[in-house]
Amino acid sequence: MITLLAKLLKALNAEAAPGQISAALCLAMFFAFMPMLTLQHVLLLLLVLVLRVNITGFILGWLIFSVLSFLLDPLFHRVGMAVLSADGLSGFWSLLYGSGFWHLTRFNNTIVMGGLIVSLVCVLPVYFGCNALIRRYRTHVMTWIEKTRIAQMVKGSRIYSVYKTVSGWRGAV
Amino acid sequence: MTRLIRWPGLVAFAVIVALVAGVWYIAVDYFIKFAVQSAGTKAVGARVELASADLSLFPLGLELSGLQVTNPKKPMRNAFVADRIRMNFHTGDLIRGKTVIEDMSVNGVGFDKPRETSGALPEKKPTAEEKAAEEQKSGSGFKLPSLSMESPREILEKENLATVEAAKTLQDDVASARQGFETRLENLPDKETFEKHRQRLKELRSGDKSGGLLGAAGKVKEVREVKEDIQADLAALRQAKKDLGQTRSDLQNRLADLKQAPTRDAARLAEKYSLSPKGIANASALVFGPKYAGWVETGLTWYQRLAPYAAGMARSGPEKEKRTRGEGVNVEFASGRSVPEYWIKTAKVSMAEGGMSGDIRDLSSDQAALGQPMKFAFSGSEAAESLKIQGRMDRTKPGSPEDVAEFEIQQYPLKGFSLLDRPDLSISMESARVKTATGDIRIAGKELAADIRAGLDSAGFAVSAEKADGFLAKALADALGDVSAFDLTARVRGSLQQPEIGLESGIDNALKAALKKTIDRQRAELETSLRQTISEQTKGQIQDVQGGFSGLDAIEQKLQQRLNVGTEVMPG
């Protein structure tokens, strides 16, 4: 049982390079900022599982960005409404609207469109910002955490030793 | 490439998708059942139940079985039941978020069927709006006059009598007048005053005559002055007597009026407590009105409850203005064709009993976008020789909505048809046959107009009353016993909230004559007993008032005596 749990933890914590964690957070942002089930969510799930990104980072990011999404709902609605009612784009939207396939994306919903636009605008800043933060964290904060009593207790536990054996992990990268 | 791709993730994705699809397929039927039940219950205000729901993917369709819609006003009865509802969806439109049902069949439809368990929801306190609507409604139906006969004593126990009030007022006024004249009498010249005048005159006549001519002239002047004093005193007395006479006359008139007050009180109370002939001005409304008003009320309640769904009245425009957090707004764009959110193209409906069937076309959430009103047409020839109903709910022009229905019934038998069921009186039509009945109903906006004409024959009525000596029941039974064929014209005008219902029938005159005779007799009897009882109760008070007049008489006598004395003293 412990081995199974350790293998799950290994899978979740694999691909732990800063770029892989940041990519997972960016995908989580797209996933959470469009708060309805759409075709994009299926594609995002496929990307999360198929691309070598950190899955724990994705789950954690999804939770954080979901809270943020709730708070930013009025912004998404306003942005989405502005884009969907832009005169220059009405022909394009009408073309998509006439097709059943594009309805699966729910592109005509204001918060889906708004969330997508905001995610697209934020993706590069979030990616590079997270990268920088993770590096700083590992250099400064991680070393300090490893010295705390709690970290010492976790490291002394059986599950941690099994996890180390299964993953071949020897410490922080 | 392998540094970027995690191939086992593809398997994990396939497994997750398969799992989600499997769970959805297993749970979707239960989810649909739950959704239908909760949405239906919310819309109707009483329990809506579904035995099962079955979603099929190829072709995309849904089958609902055992639908029961409780009547909110009679929780032990179902207002509507359907054995099986089968519908086929347009897949492309469903992906576009539009529920378009290409064809639908509804079998085993029934109305007003008994339930095994109560379908009432836990009671909730009515809102102020609901209370106001209920109060408004209460005035819309037929109000039957009270049929209970109270005894004069019971009536007088709870009523204030004008006789008693008038007697009390008059008694006070007589006493006040007596008091006033007694006070005035004290200040008027009396016997003593006139005796002084007499003495002065005597002295002047029998006094010293040595004054010569001048002395005589002075005495004449003095006598004249005394005469003037006597005349002034007599005038004051005469004025007082005149005033007393006037007051007495006024009070006498009021006393005479007071003696008539019991008669007036009796008439007023008899009018209030007996069934007035005005109450039977429309005798057929007395017999058929409550049932008809009940139908109208039930029909309008269901119309207002279901019309928003049947004719898309709930939809205000192409775009919802209000939104809830996390839902956003779906912006509509012009595309090849405009499709409403839901649209049942054709629904074929067949009744469980009576052999009636028909179809409903273009039931949609947005008739203006569709450009088609909802139409329905039903017919049957099992329960009646011919039964047809057709109509439309037209919201294609949102500014001027119009709903129209027409029906025609030929040779429809009625049996054990309850018309009035009150604790004190019940009337039922044991058997009858609707020879022909036609009707048209039109609702334009909130304005309502309905006209129904029916001809019945082979009718047999049963009238029963709680009290064995129920005079009205007897009169009705006698009058209705002779009726076997009659016509009936019903009409409704006004608004949906305040319908004005009218009924007329060929049996009006026969019923009215029979009822009027009985009611007049009952009213006369009640009035006589009331008059006697009131007279007995107020006799003492009226006698007291009469007694008060003796005081005025005494004052008048005193005034007359003083006048007699004064006249006697006055020199010729």
Side-chain angles (χ1 to χ4, degrees), chain B residues 39-240:
Chain B
T41 300
K42 195 179 166 192
V44 172
R47 218 171 284 284
V48 171
E49 288 156 331
L50 194 63
S52 68
D54 182 19
L55 183 79
S56 61
L57 293 177
F58 306 104
L60 188 61
L62 178 66
E63 187 169 309
L64 307 175
S65 303
L67 177 69
Q68 297 185 69
V69 180
T70 308
N71 184 340
K73 292 195 173 170
K74 295 176 189 170
M76 286 307 291
R77 297 194 77 82
N78 283 320
F80 176 84
V81 292
D83 290 342
R84 181 175 164 273
I85 302 170
R86 170 79 210 170
M87 58 194 95
N88 290 318
F89 296 100
H90 188 285
T91 313
D93 283 326
L94 202 62
I95 291 170
R96 286 186 189 93
K98 315 285 186 185
T99 309
V100 176
I101 297 168
E102 292 287 341
D103 57 84
M104 186 178 190
S105 62
V106 187
N107 298 321
V109 171
F111 298 97
D112 197 28
K113 299 287 173 194
R115 284 177 62 88
E116 286 176 4
T117 55
S118 170
L121 297 177
E123 272 198 40
K124 58 162 188 160
K125 281 188 179 176
T127 62
E129 278 177 16
E130 284 170 338
K131 269 186 187 172
E134 200 56 42
E135 275 166 18
Q136 265 196 328
K137 266 184 192 173
S138 63
S140 63
F142 283 91
K143 279 189 178 169
L144 281 184
S146 169
L147 304 181
S148 62
M149 286 270 285
E150 289 180 86
S151 72
R153 209 155 292 281
E154 284 171 332
I155 293 170
L156 294 177
E157 271 172 16
K158 56 187 176 185
E159 287 288 340
N160 291 325
L161 291 176
T163 309
V164 174
E165 291 296 313
K168 196 172 176 301
T169 311
L170 185 56
Q171 199 171 6
D172 290 347
D173 288 351
V174 170
S176 163
R178 192 180 62 206
Q179 186 77 33
F181 278 101
E182 274 172 355
T183 311
R184 193 170 167 184
L185 194 64
E186 280 171 16
N187 298 319
L188 283 171
D190 54 6
K191 201 176 171 182
E192 205 176 307
T193 313
F194 287 113
E195 203 51 49
K196 281 179 186 169
H197 289 317
R198 190 198 298 269
Q199 197 60 38
R200 275 184 67 200
L201 282 172
K202 198 176 173 184
E203 283 170 9
L204 284 170
R205 280 171 187 157
S206 61
D208 187 11
K209 294 174 182 174
S210 59
L213 196 60
L214 279 173
K219 281 185 180 176
V220 168
K221 191 185 171 193
E222 274 188 59
V223 168
R224 196 186 301 137
E225 280 172 6
V226 174
K227 270 178 81 176
E228 279 172 4
D229 287 346
I230 295 169
Q231 274 175 340
D233 288 344
L234 283 172
L237 284 169
R238 281 193 196 104
Q239 186 60 44

Side-chain angles (χ1 to χ4, degrees), chain B residues 235-266:
Chain B
L237 284 169
R238 281 193 196 104
Q239 186 60 44
K241 194 184 172 202
K242 191 182 169 192
D243 290 349
L244 178 66
Q246 184 64 45
T247 305
R248 196 181 194 289
S249 170
D250 290 346
L251 292 171
Q252 283 282 14
N253 287 341
R254 284 173 62 188
L255 178 65
D257 191 59
L258 178 66
K259 286 176 181 169
Q260 295 302 314
T263 308
R264 285 198 300 273
D265 267 334

Side-chain angles (χ1 to χ4, degrees), chain B residues 204-470:
Chain B
L204 284 170
R205 280 171 187 157
S206 61
D208 187 11
K209 294 174 182 174
S210 59
L213 196 60
L214 279 173
K219 281 185 180 176
V220 168
K221 191 185 171 193
E222 274 188 59
V223 168
R224 196 186 301 137
E225 280 172 6
V226 174
K227 270 178 81 176
E228 279 172 4
D229 287 346
I230 295 169
Q231 274 175 340
D233 288 344
L234 283 172
L237 284 169
R238 281 193 196 104
Q239 186 60 44
K241 194 184 172 202
K242 191 182 169 192
D243 290 349
L244 178 66
Q246 184 64 45
T247 305
R248 196 181 194 289
S249 170
D250 290 346
L251 292 171
Q252 283 282 14
N253 287 341
R254 284 173 62 188
L255 178 65
D257 191 59
L258 178 66
K259 286 176 181 169
Q260 295 302 314
T263 308
R264 285 198 300 273
D265 267 334
R268 176 176 64 83
L269 295 175
E271 171 80 20
K272 185 174 176 181
Y273 286 92
S274 67
L275 184 60
S276 150
K278 284 177 197 165
I280 54 147
N282 190 343
S284 54
L286 184 75
V287 178
F288 301 106
K291 187 80 180 175
Y292 181 57
W295 282 348
V296 170
E297 193 187 333
T298 306
L300 290 180
T301 303
W302 281 102
Y303 171 81
Q304 289 179 81
R305 201 167 277 168
L306 296 178
Y309 304 95
M313 281 181 353
R315 203 181 154 83
S316 58
E319 200 175 290
K320 285 179 191 168
E321 288 300 327
K322 283 185 182 175
R323 67 177 199 97
T324 47
R325 193 178 273 266
E327 283 187 8
V329 170
N330 291 324
V331 180
E332 308 273 336
F333 296 98
S335 60
R337 61 184 186 125
S338 190
V339 179
E341 271 178 38
Y342 63 82
W343 176 19
I344 301 171
K345 290 185 178 176
T346 310
K348 292 196 179 300
V349 182
S350 63
M351 304 289 170
E353 295 160 11
M356 190 129 162
S357 63
D359 53 39
I360 301 169
R361 290 180 187 277
D362 295 318
L363 196 159
S364 72
S365 61
D366 192 348
Q367 293 186 2
L370 190 67
Q372 288 289 338
M374 189 271 268
K375 291 178 195 151
F376 58 90
F378 292 88
S379 63
S381 56
E382 210 175 286
E385 190 181 285
S386 162
L387 207 154
K388 288 177 195 165
I389 179 164
Q390 60 181 26
R392 64 188 157 84
M393 294 179 88
D394 194 344
R395 302 283 187 286
T396 49
K397 291 172 191 160
S400 52
E402 187 185 55
D403 299 337
V404 178
E406 292 166 358
F407 69 85
E408 188 187 324
I409 301 167
Q410 302 279 350
Q411 307 294 338
Y412 183 74
L414 294 171
K415 205 170 182 184
F417 189 69
S418 172
L419 292 167
L420 180 68
D421 191 14
R422 285 178 23 157
D424 52 353
L425 179 69
S426 65
I427 305 171
S428 65
M429 204 144 51
E430 289 190 315
S431 65
R433 186 177 59 167
V434 180
K435 267 199 310 186
T436 174
T438 56
D440 47 85
I441 301 151
R442 183 174 174 272
I443 300 172
K446 286 185 177 174
E447 280 182 25
L448 173 66
D451 290 285
I452 294 162
R453 298 153 295 276
L456 290 92
D457 62 7
S458 312
F461 290 89
V463 183
S464 63
E466 185 189 24
K467 291 180 183 173
D469 60 343

